[in-house]
């Protein structure tokens, strides 16, 4: 069974940093694109960043324009883990953050960028990030 477990969320002051982790199990982690999404109650789940999800290149990264260089995505295949480093956090970053996986077919990597939630079939339970003023 595919499982994705997020961790690292919590309460942080504006201007601070957090590093989220997404640990995967139950599938061949290296054969998937991984995305980070976030959602606020009453709003659509929006794409934050993804890895191995752009230009048909494994290891490629992409970020939502609104992040303005504050977030960094990375992965450690040996640990089946994807990270999201979040810096200079502000109140608009408050949300539940989810990681998701999209399987690659026939060795062809996504042209993407893959930040549409409907492209991902497996999801974690989410981790709450709250940024205080």
């Amino acid at each position: 069974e595919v499982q994705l477990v997020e961790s690292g969320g919590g309460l942080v002051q504006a201007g601070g940093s957090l590093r989220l982790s997404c640990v995967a199990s139950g599938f061949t982690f290296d054969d998937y694109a991984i995305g980070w999404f976030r959602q606020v109650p009453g709003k659509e789940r929006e794409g934050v960043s993804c890895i191995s999800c752009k230009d048909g290149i494994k290891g490629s990264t992409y970020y939502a324009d609104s992040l303005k260089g504050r977030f960094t995505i990375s992965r450690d295949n040996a640990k089946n883990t994807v990270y999201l480093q979040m810096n200079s956090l502000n109140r608009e970053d408050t949300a539940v953050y989810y990681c998701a996986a999209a399987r690659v077919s026939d060795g062809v990597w996504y042209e993407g960028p893959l930040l549409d939630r409907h492209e991902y079939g497996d999801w974690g339970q989410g981790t709450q990030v709250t940024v205080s003023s």
Side-chain angles (χ1 to χ4, degrees):
E1 179 181 350
V2 174
Q3 291 186 348
L4 298 168
V5 180
E6 303 96 334
S7 63
L11 177 64
V12 63
Q13 291 184 320
S17 299
L18 285 173
R19 189 183 73 162
L20 305 183
S21 298
C22 173
V23 179
S25 62
F27 63 98
T28 305
F29 184 70
D30 194 44
D31 292 337
Y32 286 74
I34 304 295
W36 282 100
F37 295 78
R38 65 186 184 185
Q39 187 169 28
V40 175
K43 299 183 66 177
E44 294 182 350
R45 188 172 299 186
E46 64 176 352
V48 173
S49 181
C50 61
I51 189 164
S52 297
C53 66
K54 185 183 70 176
D55 297 331
I57 301 173
K58 182 181 179 181
S60 60
T61 60
Y62 186 78
Y63 303 90
D65 291 339
S66 61
L67 296 180
K68 299 180 180 179
R70 296 183 295 115
F71 290 9
T72 303
I73 191 171
S74 62
R75 70 192 297 169
D76 185 341
N77 288 327
K79 297 181 178 180
N80 283 0
T81 302
V82 170
Y83 304 97
L84 183 68
Q85 179 67 45
M86 306 187 296
N87 299 324
S88 301
L89 290 164
N90 57 64
R91 287 179 294 176
E92 294 181 347
D93 297 316
T94 295
V96 176
Y97 284 73
Y98 301 87
C99 66
R103 187 174 184 177
V104 171
S105 298
D106 300 321
V108 180
W109 293 91
Y110 294 102
E111 293 294 332
L114 207 66
L115 280 185
D116 184 344
R117 60 186 173 89
H118 297 107
E119 298 289 344
Y120 291 84
D122 297 289
W123 294 83
Q125 83 291 341
T127 184
Q128 176 71 49
V129 172
T130 303
V131 183
S132 63
S133 60

